[in-house]
């Protein structure tokens, strides 16, 4: 790119590093003409297709702006919102597509927002999913409640499956193993 100081048509890269968030590359450049240094930030383009069909570049600021309304009066800090927007960007970039529907961004917001603040989540979901009735709220709240109750169950079931599998494995190992394992085995029986 052109030197921002003297407009020289070329520049030399003197350092490249991945930005902290892993989403972009910072290049330190030097102009061979005037010798001044400048930094460029390289990001893969991510295009959002709006409902109208118009496209625009993905913007974390827009994610934050959209979520901030839902967070009014809630204990959610700017840092929380910045982190959420980063999570959303990571999620949509992880899809591997350079072009995404605005709808998918809304979807990607729901998960992290639910973890952040359930009231803000309900507000956002009610607008995003066009809740039309109390029943819609009840269903969403029911799902949140199930998440609370189910969190244990959901985490527990696979865990106990794994544990059972591990125990089976251990049992088999024990059968092949030394006297201590044999003792443990008979203890169980
Ligand atoms: Zn220059």
């Amino acid at each position: 790119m052109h030197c921002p100081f003297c407009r020289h048509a070329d520049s030399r890269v003197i350092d490249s590093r991945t930005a902290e968030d892993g989403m972009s590359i910072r290049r330190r450049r030097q102009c061979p003409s005037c010798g001044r240094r400048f930094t460029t930030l390289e990001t893969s383009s991510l295009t959002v297709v709006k409902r109208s069909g118009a496209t625009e570049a993905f913007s974390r600021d827009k994610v934050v702006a959209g979520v901030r309304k839902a967070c009014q009066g809630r204990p959610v800090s700017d840092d929380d919102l910045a982190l959420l927007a980063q999570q959303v960007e990571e999620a949509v970039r992880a899809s591997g597509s350079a072009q995404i529907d605005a709808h998918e961004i809304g979807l990607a917001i729901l998960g992290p927002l639910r973890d952040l603040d359930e009231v803000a989540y309900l507000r956002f979901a009610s607008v995003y999913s066009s809740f039309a009735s109390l029943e819609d709220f009840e269903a969403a709240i029911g799902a949140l409640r199930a998440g609370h109750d189910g969190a244990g169950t959901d985490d527990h079931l696979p865990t106990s499956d794994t544990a059972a599998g591990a125990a089976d494995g251990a049992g088999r190992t024990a059968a092949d193993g030394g006297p201590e394992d044999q003792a443990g085995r008979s203890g169980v029986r």
Side-chain angles (χ1 to χ4, degrees):
M1 64 176 281
H2 290 213
C3 168
F5 302 104
C6 73
R7 298 277 152 203
H8 185 75
D10 198 15
S11 61
R12 192 169 61 91
V13 176
I14 51 180
D15 184 42
S16 286
R17 61 184 62 185
T18 305
E20 274 173 29
D21 61 7
M23 295 292 172
S24 52
I25 292 177
R26 255 171 222 289
R27 294 195 203 283
R28 196 80 183 125
R29 295 171 181 270
Q30 184 168 33
C31 171
S33 175
C34 71
R36 296 178 82 170
R37 295 180 175 193
F38 56 98
T39 302
T40 54
L41 198 59
E42 186 177 299
T43 315
S44 70
S45 72
L46 186 59
T47 306
V48 180
V49 184
K50 299 202 278 187
R51 212 171 295 176
S52 63
T55 59
E56 64 182 17
F58 174 86
S59 154
R60 285 193 199 182
D61 289 344
K62 288 205 169 173
V63 171
V64 168
V67 174
R68 191 188 295 280
K69 283 179 215 154
C71 293
Q72 269 176 17
R74 299 300 304 165
V76 175
S77 70
D78 285 350
D79 284 350
D80 291 334
L81 290 176
L83 180 62
L84 181 140
Q86 183 183 328
Q87 290 171 323
V88 168
E89 178 169 356
E90 283 167 6
V92 293
R93 281 190 188 277
S95 72
S97 175
Q99 186 166 295
I100 45 165
D101 285 344
H103 181 75
E104 291 175 57
I105 296 181
L107 273 181
I109 287 172
L110 288 173
L113 184 56
R114 187 180 54 218
D115 294 341
L116 190 57
D117 187 278
E118 291 182 339
V119 171
Y121 162 80
L122 276 177
R123 287 174 181 162
F124 184 86
S126 69
V127 175
Y128 169 74
S129 310
S130 312
F131 285 11
S133 65
L134 281 178
E135 283 73 21
D136 289 337
F137 278 95
E138 280 171 355
I141 291 168
L144 280 177
R145 288 233 168 88
H148 290 176
D149 303 338
T153 321
D154 283 344
D155 289 346
H156 199 68
L157 279 178
T159 308
S160 48
D161 282 347
T162 314
D168 282 347
R172 265 178 245 120
T173 314
D176 304 330
E180 256 185 288
D181 288 328
Q182 295 286 354
R185 225 163 106 83
S186 52
V188 170
R189 282 179 179 172

